[in-house]
Every structure is written in structure tokens, then in C-alpha cells.
Amino acid sequence: MTDFSELNTRALLQAYASGDVTPSEYMAWLIERVKRVEPKINALYAFKPEESMKQADASTLRWKKGETCGPLDGVPVTLKELIATVGDPVPLGTAASDKTPATEDAPTAARLKEDGAIIFAKTTCPDYGMLSSGLSTFHHLSRNPWDLTQNPGGSSAGAASAGAAGLGTLHIGTDIGGSVRLPAGWTGLFGFKPTLGRIPIFPYYTGRSAGPMTRTVDDAVMVMPTITKPDWRDATSVNYEVLDWNVPAADVRGMKIGLMLDAGCGMDAEPEVREAVISAAKRFEAEGAQIIEIGPVLKREWLDGLDIFWRARFWGTMLKLTDEKRKTILPYIYEWAKTGGDADPLDVVKGFDATLAMRDTCAAAFQQVDVILSPVNPNVSYPAEWASPTNDPHKPFEHIAFTMPWNMGEQPACSINCGFSTSGIPIGLQIVAPRFEDLKVIALAKAYENWRGPITNWPEF
């Protein structure tokens, strides 16, 4: 069988149009690849090879007749399991959840189907999507394809594993504190969290976004016009704009770029991470940008306050469960959330108010610079079996200090690979722009990707 692993989304669609490849041929290849690779990485949930093959055959006929139903007709895609698809349960990564099938598609799923994409599988996440880990009481343990003993990160763990392993070109995750960017950083992917509300999401919540996780910037560009289309169910969504996501690479000459190497709290960036990010910043400088070192946008009391708020919120969710169901929750998550039941209500309110304080400081940071560069993940890696980089439920958010503030501030941000550790694990560079300047992030990521060159050593299985 022909190996299609080198095709990105744009090339795949061009091959469909020319007749060099049909959706049926590509799907047959992908199904065989999944069967070979998936037992090693445990990235997928609700994999449906027979149904996907039928959809691919229907797409093949449409292409032959010149009657395609949308710009992504016949392109396989995965969705994080938190994004509902009609007929499939939404287990939330936990054995404790109700497994009743969803009765309607979430916005992202609906838009992809309307534009002809084939949702051939969902991807895994940890319990309640509240870990940066592939550890779950419902799904098998997801692993990092670069080193199967290591964690892919999360909570979009399966999407990261699937993308790095080449299980198709398009994967969509969700991100409320870094859950797209963190695993993208640890697995070498481009992970994009747009301005809050740019991609309609349901259910929505403070800081919660959806975003693509792909091997190249161009793959993300190809899916953004589809998944940004409006949906009334997201009351936090921004006014819909028809944007030209296929922007050229940025000319950075004269641009003021902030370099943030201190997150203000949490884990310090490890030496290899720090060196890779500084090296990336120097490349921007060599291309004509002015690099300005800037201080953090996060304070210890705000990170701790958000921790208290989220503990209390999730304990409220768990109180709705029976005692028997609560016992099936991952002990790390249960122990973390249970302390929220004892929290002082005033501390919980202060914790929510911390999100507004972060919003202020994030906006203020762009009064002196045009964009900001920083690490994505402070650490190089951690064991696959760990629930988080600290593996300590009393210190659950020490690794999200570089990423989480931009969820609360609603700025667009991405992770793009900027090097590898001596152990061979990818390192992510974060690029952040002011609210609504999503295209600037894409243009800067394209520029850096061009300077860096393609990743040629993706994991082989």
C-alpha cells in the first residue's frame, strides 16, 4: 500500500482534486496505520473504521463527479472526546461519568461534518479533562510517540499522540489552561488556541477554547475557516468574521517582541527549555525584530486562587454523583477536588476574581510590545504514568503558569516546536498576540516554521 504519511491537508486535497489519490485509498491506508500504531500509544476513542470507510467511499464518488460537499470533503479528522458527536457517549475521561450517547453535535463537530470532513475517531483525555496527562480511569494510558515511557501531556492527550504518530493530518483539542499548547509542545505539534470565542464551543466556560493540533502551521490554516463558522450555542463567541487564514509569513523587521522567561510562579523553565526559547528569540532578532525582556503576567496568589476556585467547582460536580461513582474517579483528581468542599466561600470568590486580575495584566503586557514569546512547558518531560509534571495533587498547576494566563486574558496563542531536548523530546515555543490578532500569531508561526525548517524525524512505528 502506498505510504501517504508525507501528505499534509493541502496536499491531500490537491491529490483528491487531481485524482492521484481518492478518499477511499487514503482512508484505507489510515485505518491500517491506526491498527498498527494505536496499540502502542492509546490515542483514540470511538474509532469507527467501517463507518469511516463508507463515508470515504461516498466522498470518492463526489470527487469523481465534481460535486464535493465542502472544502474538507473526504479529509479525516479526530476530535477530543469532550467535543460531543451525535450517537457517541462523552465520557469526560472518567469511569464516573454517564455514558449516554450525545443527542447532537457540538459546534466544531457540526461544522466539520457540514464541510465534508470525516470524523473517523475521537481522542482521549484524562478524568474531567483536568490533568496535563494521558492518565484516565476510562481510557487506556496515552503515551508520547517520541518516547513511549513518557507522557504526551494533556488534557488533549490523545490528540497530541495521534498527531505526532501521523494518524491523519487534522486533530482538534480543547484548552482552558494550556490543554492544546502543553501537549503540542511535548509532542512537536503546532497547537493553536485562538482568541476566546473565535471557535464556537459548547459547553462554554471561562477561558475554554477549542483549537487545532497539527504537524504544520498550514494544516491548522486549512481547518480554521471551517471550525470558526458561527454557532448560536456559544454565548461567549466573538462576532463572526470571514478571515483569510492563509496569510503570508510575517516580516518581523521593526517589530517589538517581548521575551518572557519568568512565569512569576510555578516551575522554573528547565535549562534546555530556556536555551531553546532564547535561541528562537535570537532568530527573530536576527530577522530584524527588537527583543525586549519582560516580566510575568501571573502572581502566586492568582494561581493559587484559581486552584481553589476550580477545586470548589469540581467538588460541586462530584457531589452530584453517588458514593459508588465517586470512588471510581482517579484518586489524584478526587483528592484535589475534595479539598474544595472545605474552602472558605470568600476564598472561592477571590479565586474567580483572580481570572479578572490576569485579564488586566495580560492586556497591559501588550502596551509595551507587539507580541510575546515564552516557553510553553517549563519541563522537558515526565513519566507516562504520572498525573501531572509534579504528580502531586497539592501542587497541580505548577506547570501551567506560562499558558493559563492567556486563557483568562483571552489572547490568541500557539505552541510551535523550537528544538529537542538531549533525550529527544520536543520543546515548544509559545507565541502570544493581543486579542483578536489571531492572524498575527499564524503569520509569526509561519515565519518561524520557515526559518526552522520542517521536522523530518517524526516517530516511526
Side-chain angles (χ1 to χ4, degrees):
M1 182 179 292
T2 303
D3 183 1
F4 297 127
S5 59
E6 296 302 315
L7 292 179
N8 68 3
T9 307
R10 190 181 299 273
L12 180 60
L13 285 166
Q14 290 170 346
Y16 288 172
S18 68
D20 291 341
V21 180
T22 67
S24 297
E25 290 170 335
Y26 186 81
M27 183 59 71
W29 168 82
L30 180 57
I31 289 170
E32 287 304 310
R33 187 176 181 89
V34 168
K35 289 179 179 178
R36 184 175 74 254
V37 175
E38 170 61 10
K40 301 175 184 178
I41 62 172
N42 299 317
L44 304 183
Y45 162 67
F47 173 47
K48 299 179 179 179
E50 295 84 5
E51 182 178 323
S52 300
M53 199 68 224
K54 289 179 182 177
Q55 292 183 47
D57 290 341
S59 176
T60 295
L61 290 176
R62 291 194 295 271
W63 278 100
K64 287 181 177 179
K65 294 178 180 179
E67 299 175 353
T68 54
C69 65
L72 295 176
D73 200 334
V75 177
V77 61
T78 72
L79 296 181
K80 186 176 182 178
E81 62 105 315
L82 297 180
I83 302 172
T85 47
V86 65
D88 297 317
V90 185
L92 306 176
T94 180
S97 65
D98 175 42
K99 305 304 186 296
T100 302
T103 57
E104 62 179 7
D105 289 321
T108 301
R111 301 295 86 77
L112 285 165
K113 289 180 179 179
E114 289 164 2
D115 276 357
I118 300 171
I119 302 172
F120 73 95
K122 309 292 284 293
T123 51
T124 64
C125 73
D127 284 51
Y128 296 102
M130 280 305 297
L131 297 175
S132 191
S133 175
L135 186 62
S136 163
T137 55
F138 180 78
H139 304 294
H140 294 299
L141 177 64
S142 298
R143 296 178 179 273
N144 191 330
W146 292 92
D147 181 343
L148 297 178
T149 70
Q150 298 300 291
N151 211 296
S155 61
S156 303
S161 296
L167 303 187
T169 63
L170 297 178
H171 309 276
I172 311 297
T174 63
D175 187 317
I176 198 171
S179 288
V180 160
R181 290 157 291 156
L182 291 164
W186 278 308
T187 56
L189 300 179
F190 175 71
F192 182 46
K193 180 201 80 68
T195 296
L196 184 72
R198 180 75 72 190
I199 299 173
I201 195 167
F202 188 82
Y204 54 84
Y205 198 72
T206 303
R208 185 170 186 251
S209 302
M213 300 172 68
T214 57
R215 284 190 171 187
T216 70
V217 179
D218 191 58
D219 284 307
V221 163
M222 295 296 289
V223 77
M224 287 300 290
T226 293
I227 60 179
T228 54
K229 290 178 181 177
D231 192 296
W232 67 270
R233 289 173 289 177
D234 185 353
T236 68
S237 59
V238 301
N239 190 41
Y240 174 65
E241 298 177 80
V242 178
L243 298 177
D244 181 7
W245 291 95
N246 196 27
V247 293
D251 181 350
V252 302
R253 287 176 293 182
M255 189 175 288
K256 293 182 178 180
I257 297 182
L259 177 60
M260 184 185 297
L261 296 172
D262 177 8
C265 55
M267 299 169 66
D268 291 333
E270 293 179 355
E272 287 186 286
V273 173
R274 186 181 176 92
E275 290 169 12
V277 170
I278 290 173
S279 178
K282 287 180 177 178
R283 184 56 193 261
F284 280 89
E285 186 174 44
E287 296 292 336
Q290 179 185 359
I291 301 298
I292 303 168
E293 289 203 33
I294 63 173
V297 293
L298 184 61
K299 296 180 180 180
R300 179 81 251 177
E301 58 264 35
W302 298 345
L303 184 62
D304 291 343
L306 188 66
D307 181 17
I308 292 170
F309 172 69
W310 277 352
R311 287 175 191 251
R313 177 174 180 262
F314 272 87
W315 185 242
T317 298
M318 292 174 188
L319 285 178
K320 298 175 185 177
L321 303 173
T322 64
D323 288 341
E324 185 177 353
K325 281 285 188 181
R326 279 198 292 273
K327 291 176 182 177
T328 67
I329 296 170
L330 190 74
Y332 181 105
I333 289 290
Y334 182 83
E335 184 179 345
W336 167 76
K338 191 174 186 300
T339 59
D342 300 322
D344 186 314
L346 292 179
D347 289 336
V348 175
V349 172
K350 288 178 182 177
F352 179 77
D353 286 346
T355 67
L356 303 179
M358 283 182 252
R359 188 183 180 96
D360 288 343
T361 57
C362 287
F366 291 102
Q367 302 312 300
Q368 55 178 318
V369 295
D370 300 309
V371 295
I372 293 171
L373 305 179
S374 81
V376 175
N377 312 299
N379 61 314
V380 166
S381 189
Y382 56 106
E385 295 79 10
W386 283 19
S388 74
T390 63
N391 206 33
D392 183 350
H394 303 292
K395 297 179 179 179
F397 297 149
E398 301 303 291
H399 59 289
I400 66 172
F402 284 111
T403 54
M404 181 272 297
W406 311 115
N407 292 79
M408 303 305 121
E410 304 183 5
Q411 287 80 12
C414 77
S415 173
I416 187 166
N417 175 256
C418 66
F420 293 84
S421 69
T422 54
S423 61
I425 298 296
I427 295 171
L429 169 72
Q430 183 169 229
I431 304 173
V432 191
R435 288 176 72 213
F436 311 119
E437 295 191 30
D438 304 63
L439 297 183
K440 182 178 286 186
V441 173
I442 296 293
L444 287 164
K446 278 188 175 181
Y448 183 74
E449 185 179 54
N450 289 342
W451 304 332
R452 183 204 69 196
I455 294 175
T456 58
N457 61 327
W458 289 105
E460 294 289 341
F461 293 92

